């Protein structure tokens, strides 16, 4: 048995040793790694140097690959998808285990197809296209920041300055189109949008004339916020053209993606002409935390290059890409991985493809190496190197730099963790995330016009045309809006004056002309007016236009300048006081509760006073009459019975307070009923209209018809269209309609001269009148809203109201008809207080009775009777204790109360009570005689 165990142990040790030796022997001396980028681009020039330095550092560090040399094979892609594809095929023919790159997103889309087939990981330091995802590019890993985060940062920057629309200028390739698509989505989350997209050919053959044609169109647009997502060649031409067209300054705001920051870092300072043409620009730059390693590499970079080209973020990402790949290969080899390649049957299925693709072989360890890359968790020059679920670096962040003079300054940072901030992102990661608007901050920015005041971001088009503003041509209620007689484009009224006063408060001129809408014979339909704006016939609309949900879906509204809502108007009649008017102050339920309370308090006081107060004793009939007399006499405070016990006095005091409140309220309400004229209407509000069959009038052109039929399901056969206040009054007077439903401003103007009608019930919709803003392009809606608020604050809005709208000359005592009865809920607290007092008093009283009963039962002599006779005796004892007469003038000692039985002098006390009752009866008979 021992020999068997020894053999097993020997075989195991031999296996371990042989396996370790085998692994060391399997570790290759050289591993080929490819690099694919554009050597002559601003990114490629610095990347080439960074890659060489990174490979040298890895090969000189024995702790990384443990003697294995990393051999870097570089290929020129020229940012062409086709040429990049060919170069990638040539790299893979050299049996590389991975490719650093491609630099271009357009090339990456092509190369990922080959990488997927040959299982070769791609580790890109510059392909930022957000559409390169693990789903469509399973072997692609991004060692830089994705454009999705950059566009999110720009959208939050746009929202921070209150802009809503931007113009996007981009290269017409995968990099440009997909980046702007991500920007469009990010702006939509902030309720913004791209108003115009200008695509530029991405080739170097694009000319100044091509750019000029594009920017002449942009100069005619409303938006003055321009986002640049182009390459450096196109960007240089754009700056020249924009400066020539006067688009630097003059209310413009320019925001560039990180292509410009890499240009500034690589070749700063640029030429004076170019720097002058980008003054005030905001530029995004990938944020890389400061560290000793980064400063040391920057110093080393300067000694290598002499300061040209300068070190930019993409050079740092290129360097870290080599570090990531080296650590991943080392982990792969340590886990027993082998560098081996095999033929792909799909590529060698025919003789023709055999000759062309005979050098193409699949990397057997590709999936395992990819897994090692994704598990990377080290620190590089750009900070922590770790990948998220989208295979991008964690904690994406950007510097926001402002171009000033011959250089730039950092005005803030953006991070996916906390948004815009003036604090370094890495210092915020230890704090709880806070993306609230109050926590978003940036330093002051010097804009292209030289000021620190953010541009408005839009202007009216430079086409010289005026805004066509639709105005409803009303035939009734002309106080709100009407056309000046003898003119076509001049209008007057409350709404017109408010609009003109608001326009005068705008910090810029607004060219406009009024265009009437309607035939002049009846009020136009306001929904049709709003639809005309959607169709492009009008740019805006001014008038008594209600804000309705269906309209807000197609146009924008300014701040309301009038509160409005639908109300019901109905005829009323005067009520005269009747024979039973004295019962009207309280509701029937209130009367019932009052009577019950009187009886309850009388019974409670009788219980508390019965044993000690002779006025609450006597025959059952006399005691019942005493209860009724005492309780109801408190109504007039004329009760003659005195309360002796403390508990009884407490209940009576609280009850008298309740009676005082009740009588005071009753007196006030009855006085109002008998002296103030009361109004009555069969219609109590919108609920009674919906439930009944009354005919309802509405104003022609108003949204009331749609609301009544679609929202309240009232039959159209019950609705009657009316056109003027005079027709309102006539229809109500002759009974053509039973009630009128209209907006509150119209009703108030109507009731100012018609005193036979009143508003019944509350306002059942909440809305307002507003100006409809331009539906296409950027509108002055926010500025107009601000102007309307200023009119309200300085009192001008009220003065305009008083000028056009007269106040009612009718009595306003009963504007809304409703019942004046007092209800139980108004006095619930009083009755609750009184009830609690009664309950407390009764609890104390019966507690004392129970104690006396307990002492009496314990000390009395128990008879020999058993069963029911004993229980009957106890019941008699309890009744006697409750009904017995107690002399309040004598204080019995506690010991005597315990020893004395209530039956000791039962007969004597009963005789005494009989004598007193007889004497009292004789006395009353004598008084009667």
């Amino acid at each position: 048995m021992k020999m068997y165990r020894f053999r097993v142990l020997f075989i195991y040790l031999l296996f371990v040793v042989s396996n370790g030796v085998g692994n060391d022997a399997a570790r290759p001396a050289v591993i080929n790694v490819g690099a694919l980028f554009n050597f002559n681009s601003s990114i490629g020039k610095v990347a080439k140097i960074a890659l060489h330095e990174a490979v040298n550092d890895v090969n000189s560090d024995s702790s990384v690959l443990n003697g294995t040399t990393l051999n870097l094979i570089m290929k020129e892609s020229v940012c062409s998808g086709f040429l990049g594809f060919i170069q990638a095929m040539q790299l893979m023919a050299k049996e590389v285990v991975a490719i650093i790159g491609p630099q271009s997103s357009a090339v990456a889309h092509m190369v990922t197809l080959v990488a997927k087939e040959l299982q070769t990981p791609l580790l890109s330091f510059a392909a930022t296209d957000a559409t390169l995802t693990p789903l469509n590019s399973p072997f692609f890993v991004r060692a830089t920041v994705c454009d999705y985060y950059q566009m999110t940062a720009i959208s939050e920057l746009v929202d921070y300055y209150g802009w809503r629309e931007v113009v996007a200028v981009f290269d017409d390739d995968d990099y440009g189109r997909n980046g702007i698509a991500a920007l469009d989505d990010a702006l939509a989350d902030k309720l913004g949008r791209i108003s115009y997209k200008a695509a530029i050919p991405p080739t170097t053959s694009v000319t100044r004339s091509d750019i000029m044609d594009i920017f002449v169109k942009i100069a005619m647009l409303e938006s003055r916020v321009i986002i640049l997502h182009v390459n450096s060649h196109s960007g240089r031409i754009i700056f020249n053209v924009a400066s020539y067209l006067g688009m630097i300054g003059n209310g413009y705001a320019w925001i560039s993606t990180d292509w410009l920051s890499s240009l500034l870092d690589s070749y700063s300072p640029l030429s004076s002409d170019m720097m002058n043409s980008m003054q005030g620009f905001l530029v995004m730059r990938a944020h890389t935390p400061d560290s000793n390693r980064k400063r040391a590499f920057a110093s080393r970079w300067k000694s290598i290059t002499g300061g040209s080209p300068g070190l930019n973020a993409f050079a740092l990402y290129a360097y870290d890409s080599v570090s990531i790949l080296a650590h991943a290969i080392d982990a792969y080899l340590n886990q027993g991985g082998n560098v081996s390649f095999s033929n792909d049957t799909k590529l060698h299925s025919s003789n023709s493809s055999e000759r062309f693709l005979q050098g193409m072989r699949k990397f057997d360890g590709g999936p395992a190496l990819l897994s090692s890359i994704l598990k990377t968790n080290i620190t590089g020059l750009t900070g922590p190197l770790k990948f998220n679920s989208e295979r991008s670096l964690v904690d994406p962040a950007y510097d926001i730099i402002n171009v000033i003079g011959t250089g730039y300054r950092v005005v803030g940072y953006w991070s996916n963790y906390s948004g815009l901030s003036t604090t370094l992102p890495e210092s915020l990661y230890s704090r709880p995330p806070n993306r609230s608007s109050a926590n978003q901050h940036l330093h002051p920015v010097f804009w292209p016009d030289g000021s620190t005041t953010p541009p408005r971001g839009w202007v009216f088009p430079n086409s010289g045309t005026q805004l066509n503003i639709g105005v409803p041509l009303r035939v009734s209620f002309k106080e709100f809006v009407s056309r000046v007689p003898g003119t076509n484009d001049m209008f007057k009224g409350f709404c017109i004056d408010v609009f003109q006063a608001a326009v005068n408060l705008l910090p810029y001129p607004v060219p406009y002309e009024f265009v009437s809408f309607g035939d002049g014979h009846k009020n136009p339909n306001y929904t049709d007016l709003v639809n005309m704006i959607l169709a492009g016939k009008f740019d805006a609309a001014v008038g008594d236009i209600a804000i309705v949900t269906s309209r807000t879906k197609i146009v924008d509204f300014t701040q309301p300048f009038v509160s409005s809502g639908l109300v019901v108007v109905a005829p009323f009649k005067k009520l005269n006081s009747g024979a039973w008017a004295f019962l009207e102050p309280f509701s029937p339920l209130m009367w019932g509760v009052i009577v019950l309370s009187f009886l309850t308090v009388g019974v409670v006081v009788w219980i508390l006073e019965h044993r000690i107060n002779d006025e609450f004793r006597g025959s059952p009939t006399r005691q019942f009459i005493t209860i009724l007399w005492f309780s109801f006499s408190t109504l007039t405070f004329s009760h003659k019975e005195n309360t002796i016990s403390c508990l009884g006095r407490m209940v009576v005091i609280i009850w008298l307070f309740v009676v005082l409140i009740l009588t005071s309220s009753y007196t006030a309400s009855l006085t109002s009923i008998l002296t103030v004229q009361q109004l009555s209407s069969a219609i109590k509000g919108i609920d009674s209209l919906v439930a009944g069959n009354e005919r309802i009038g509405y104003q022609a052109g108003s949204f009331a018809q749609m609301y009544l039929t679609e929202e309240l399901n009232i039959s159209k056969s019950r609705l009657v269209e009316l056109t003027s206040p005079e027709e309102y009054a006539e229809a109500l007077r002759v009974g053509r309609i039973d009630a009128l439903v209209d907006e509150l401003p119209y009703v108030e103007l109507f009731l100012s001269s018609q005193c036979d009608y009143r508003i019944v019930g509350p306002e059942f919709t909440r809305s307002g009148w507003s100006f409809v803003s331009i539906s296409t392009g950027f509108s002055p809606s926010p500025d107009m809203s601000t102007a309307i608020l200023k009119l309200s604050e300085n009192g001008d809005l009220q003065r305009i109201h008083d000028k056009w709208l007269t106040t009612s000359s009718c009595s306003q005592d009963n504007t809304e008809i409703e019942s004046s009865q007092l209800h139980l809920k108004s006095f619930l607290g009083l009755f609750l207080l009184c009830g609690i007092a009664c309950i407390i008093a009764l609890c104390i009283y019966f507690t004392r009775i129970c104690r006396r009963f307990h002492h009496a039962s314990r000390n009395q002599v128990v008879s020999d009777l058993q069963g029911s006779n004993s229980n009957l005796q106890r019941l008699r004892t309890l009744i006697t204790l409750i009904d017995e007469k107690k002399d309040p003038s004598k204080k019995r000692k506690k010991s005597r109360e315990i020893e004395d039985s209530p039956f000791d002098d039962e007969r004597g006390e009963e005789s005494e009570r009989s004598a007193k009752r007889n004497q009292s009866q004789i006395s009353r008979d004598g008084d009667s005689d």
Side-chain angles (χ1 to χ4, degrees), residues 706-719:
M706 178 187 67
Y707 186 86
L708 293 173
T709 56
E710 296 182 5
E711 299 295 332
L712 302 181
N713 296 321
I714 295 177
S715 174
K716 290 185 178 180
S717 62
R718 296 175 54 193
L719 304 182

PDB file of all heavy atoms in Angstrom, residues 706-719:
ATOM      1  N   MET A 706     -64.807  70.858 -28.477  1.00  0.00           N
ATOM      2  CA  MET A 706     -64.006  69.638 -28.486  1.00  0.00           C
ATOM      3  C   MET A 706     -63.889  69.058 -27.082  1.00  0.00           C
ATOM      4  O   MET A 706     -63.986  67.836 -26.879  1.00  0.00           O
ATOM      5  CB  MET A 706     -62.622  69.939 -29.051  1.00  0.00           C
ATOM      6  CG  MET A 706     -61.673  68.750 -29.062  1.00  0.00           C
ATOM      7  SD  MET A 706     -59.994  69.204 -29.544  1.00  0.00           S
ATOM      8  CE  MET A 706     -59.517  70.232 -28.149  1.00  0.00           C
ATOM      9  N   TYR A 707     -63.712  69.911 -26.091  1.00  0.00           N
ATOM     10  CA  TYR A 707     -63.555  69.427 -24.725  1.00  0.00           C
ATOM     11  C   TYR A 707     -64.848  68.783 -24.220  1.00  0.00           C
ATOM     12  O   TYR A 707     -64.827  67.720 -23.592  1.00  0.00           O
ATOM     13  CB  TYR A 707     -63.155  70.580 -23.805  1.00  0.00           C
ATOM     14  CG  TYR A 707     -62.842  70.132 -22.397  1.00  0.00           C
ATOM     15  CD1 TYR A 707     -61.575  69.688 -22.058  1.00  0.00           C
ATOM     16  CD2 TYR A 707     -63.823  70.143 -21.406  1.00  0.00           C
ATOM     17  CE1 TYR A 707     -61.288  69.262 -20.772  1.00  0.00           C
ATOM     18  CE2 TYR A 707     -63.552  69.720 -20.126  1.00  0.00           C
ATOM     19  CZ  TYR A 707     -62.282  69.279 -19.813  1.00  0.00           C
ATOM     20  OH  TYR A 707     -62.002  68.849 -18.539  1.00  0.00           O
ATOM     21  N   LEU A 708     -65.977  69.433 -24.500  1.00  0.00           N
ATOM     22  CA  LEU A 708     -67.254  68.902 -24.010  1.00  0.00           C
ATOM     23  C   LEU A 708     -67.600  67.566 -24.653  1.00  0.00           C
ATOM     24  O   LEU A 708     -68.126  66.669 -23.996  1.00  0.00           O
ATOM     25  CB  LEU A 708     -68.367  69.924 -24.268  1.00  0.00           C
ATOM     26  CG  LEU A 708     -68.289  71.227 -23.463  1.00  0.00           C
ATOM     27  CD1 LEU A 708     -69.350  72.204 -23.939  1.00  0.00           C
ATOM     28  CD2 LEU A 708     -68.436  70.967 -21.977  1.00  0.00           C
ATOM     29  N   THR A 709     -67.302  67.427 -25.923  1.00  0.00           N
ATOM     30  CA  THR A 709     -67.678  66.198 -26.627  1.00  0.00           C
ATOM     31  C   THR A 709     -66.667  65.079 -26.425  1.00  0.00           C
ATOM     32  O   THR A 709     -67.048  63.926 -26.199  1.00  0.00           O
ATOM     33  CB  THR A 709     -67.851  66.480 -28.123  1.00  0.00           C
ATOM     34  OG1 THR A 709     -66.630  67.063 -28.645  1.00  0.00           O
ATOM     35  CG2 THR A 709     -69.005  67.440 -28.362  1.00  0.00           C
ATOM     36  N   GLU A 710     -65.364  65.399 -26.500  1.00  0.00           N
ATOM     37  CA  GLU A 710     -64.345  64.361 -26.451  1.00  0.00           C
ATOM     38  C   GLU A 710     -63.925  64.002 -25.027  1.00  0.00           C
ATOM     39  O   GLU A 710     -63.663  62.836 -24.728  1.00  0.00           O
ATOM     40  CB  GLU A 710     -63.117  64.800 -27.253  1.00  0.00           C
ATOM     41  CG  GLU A 710     -63.401  64.963 -28.740  1.00  0.00           C
ATOM     42  CD  GLU A 710     -62.149  65.349 -29.523  1.00  0.00           C
ATOM     43  OE1 GLU A 710     -61.063  65.389 -28.898  1.00  0.00           O
ATOM     44  OE2 GLU A 710     -62.258  65.607 -30.739  1.00  0.00           O
ATOM     45  N   GLU A 711     -63.860  64.994 -24.148  1.00  0.00           N
ATOM     46  CA  GLU A 711     -63.400  64.723 -22.789  1.00  0.00           C
ATOM     47  C   GLU A 711     -64.556  64.377 -21.846  1.00  0.00           C
ATOM     48  O   GLU A 711     -64.418  63.511 -20.984  1.00  0.00           O
ATOM     49  CB  GLU A 711     -62.636  65.938 -22.241  1.00  0.00           C
ATOM     50  CG  GLU A 711     -61.398  66.308 -23.034  1.00  0.00           C
ATOM     51  CD  GLU A 711     -60.332  65.230 -22.973  1.00  0.00           C
ATOM     52  OE1 GLU A 711     -60.286  64.497 -21.969  1.00  0.00           O
ATOM     53  OE2 GLU A 711     -59.552  65.116 -23.933  1.00  0.00           O
ATOM     54  N   LEU A 712     -65.695  65.067 -22.000  1.00  0.00           N
ATOM     55  CA  LEU A 712     -66.823  64.849 -21.091  1.00  0.00           C
ATOM     56  C   LEU A 712     -67.922  63.996 -21.711  1.00  0.00           C
ATOM     57  O   LEU A 712     -68.928  63.715 -21.052  1.00  0.00           O
ATOM     58  CB  LEU A 712     -67.402  66.199 -20.650  1.00  0.00           C
ATOM     59  CG  LEU A 712     -66.418  67.145 -19.942  1.00  0.00           C
ATOM     60  CD1 LEU A 712     -67.117  68.423 -19.531  1.00  0.00           C
ATOM     61  CD2 LEU A 712     -65.800  66.473 -18.725  1.00  0.00           C
ATOM     62  N   ASN A 713     -67.761  63.610 -22.982  1.00  0.00           N
ATOM     63  CA  ASN A 713     -68.720  62.729 -23.672  1.00  0.00           C
ATOM     64  C   ASN A 713     -70.147  63.289 -23.677  1.00  0.00           C
ATOM     65  O   ASN A 713     -71.129  62.559 -23.508  1.00  0.00           O
ATOM     66  CB  ASN A 713     -68.719  61.337 -23.024  1.00  0.00           C
ATOM     67  CG  ASN A 713     -67.389  60.628 -23.160  1.00  0.00           C
ATOM     68  OD1 ASN A 713     -66.743  60.717 -24.209  1.00  0.00           O
ATOM     69  ND2 ASN A 713     -66.953  59.950 -22.113  1.00  0.00           N
ATOM     70  N   ILE A 714     -70.269  64.589 -23.850  1.00  0.00           N
ATOM     71  CA  ILE A 714     -71.580  65.226 -23.988  1.00  0.00           C
ATOM     72  C   ILE A 714     -71.996  65.165 -25.453  1.00  0.00           C
ATOM     73  O   ILE A 714     -71.201  65.480 -26.356  1.00  0.00           O
ATOM     74  CB  ILE A 714     -71.531  66.676 -23.488  1.00  0.00           C
ATOM     75  CG1 ILE A 714     -71.235  66.694 -21.974  1.00  0.00           C
ATOM     76  CG2 ILE A 714     -72.840  67.402 -23.780  1.00  0.00           C
ATOM     77  CD1 ILE A 714     -71.106  68.079 -21.390  1.00  0.00           C
ATOM     78  N   SER A 715     -73.208  64.787 -25.703  1.00  0.00           N
ATOM     79  CA  SER A 715     -73.706  64.639 -27.079  1.00  0.00           C
ATOM     80  C   SER A 715     -73.705  65.977 -27.807  1.00  0.00           C
ATOM     81  O   SER A 715     -74.039  67.023 -27.231  1.00  0.00           O
ATOM     82  CB  SER A 715     -75.119  64.053 -27.059  1.00  0.00           C
ATOM     83  OG  SER A 715     -75.667  64.034 -28.363  1.00  0.00           O
ATOM     84  N   LYS A 716     -73.317  65.956 -29.078  1.00  0.00           N
ATOM     85  CA  LYS A 716     -73.296  67.177 -29.880  1.00  0.00           C
ATOM     86  C   LYS A 716     -74.696  67.754 -30.055  1.00  0.00           C
ATOM     87  O   LYS A 716     -74.837  68.962 -30.297  1.00  0.00           O
ATOM     88  CB  LYS A 716     -72.672  66.891 -31.249  1.00  0.00           C
ATOM     89  CG  LYS A 716     -71.184  66.624 -31.216  1.00  0.00           C
ATOM     90  CD  LYS A 716     -70.615  66.476 -32.616  1.00  0.00           C
ATOM     91  CE  LYS A 716     -69.117  66.252 -32.581  1.00  0.00           C
ATOM     92  NZ  LYS A 716     -68.549  66.108 -33.963  1.00  0.00           N
ATOM     93  N   SER A 717     -75.730  66.911 -29.956  1.00  0.00           N
ATOM     94  CA  SER A 717     -77.099  67.406 -30.111  1.00  0.00           C
ATOM     95  C   SER A 717     -77.495  68.358 -28.990  1.00  0.00           C
ATOM     96  O   SER A 717     -78.434  69.149 -29.148  1.00  0.00           O
ATOM     97  CB  SER A 717     -78.070  66.223 -30.167  1.00  0.00           C
ATOM     98  OG  SER A 717     -78.014  65.476 -28.952  1.00  0.00           O
ATOM     99  N   ARG A 718     -76.783  68.306 -27.863  1.00  0.00           N
ATOM    100  CA  ARG A 718     -77.082  69.206 -26.753  1.00  0.00           C
ATOM    101  C   ARG A 718     -76.349  70.526 -26.852  1.00  0.00           C
ATOM    102  O   ARG A 718     -76.598  71.436 -26.058  1.00  0.00           O
ATOM    103  CB  ARG A 718     -76.716  68.523 -25.428  1.00  0.00           C
ATOM    104  CG  ARG A 718     -77.522  67.282 -25.103  1.00  0.00           C
ATOM    105  CD  ARG A 718     -76.985  66.629 -23.842  1.00  0.00           C
ATOM    106  NE  ARG A 718     -76.927  67.552 -22.731  1.00  0.00           N
ATOM    107  CZ  ARG A 718     -76.272  67.333 -21.585  1.00  0.00           C
ATOM    108  NH1 ARG A 718     -75.601  66.176 -21.440  1.00  0.00           N
ATOM    109  NH2 ARG A 718     -76.259  68.215 -20.617  1.00  0.00           N
ATOM    110  N   LEU A 719     -75.391  70.651 -27.785  1.00  0.00           N
ATOM    111  CA  LEU A 719     -74.548  71.832 -27.887  1.00  0.00           C
ATOM    112  C   LEU A 719     -75.127  72.812 -28.903  1.00  0.00           C
ATOM    113  O   LEU A 719     -75.617  72.420 -29.967  1.00  0.00           O
ATOM    114  CB  LEU A 719     -73.131  71.442 -28.277  1.00  0.00           C
ATOM    115  CG  LEU A 719     -72.426  70.426 -27.356  1.00  0.00           C
ATOM    116  CD1 LEU A 719     -71.010  70.172 -27.838  1.00  0.00           C
ATOM    117  CD2 LEU A 719     -72.426  70.914 -25.916  1.00  0.00           C
TER     118      LEU A 719
END
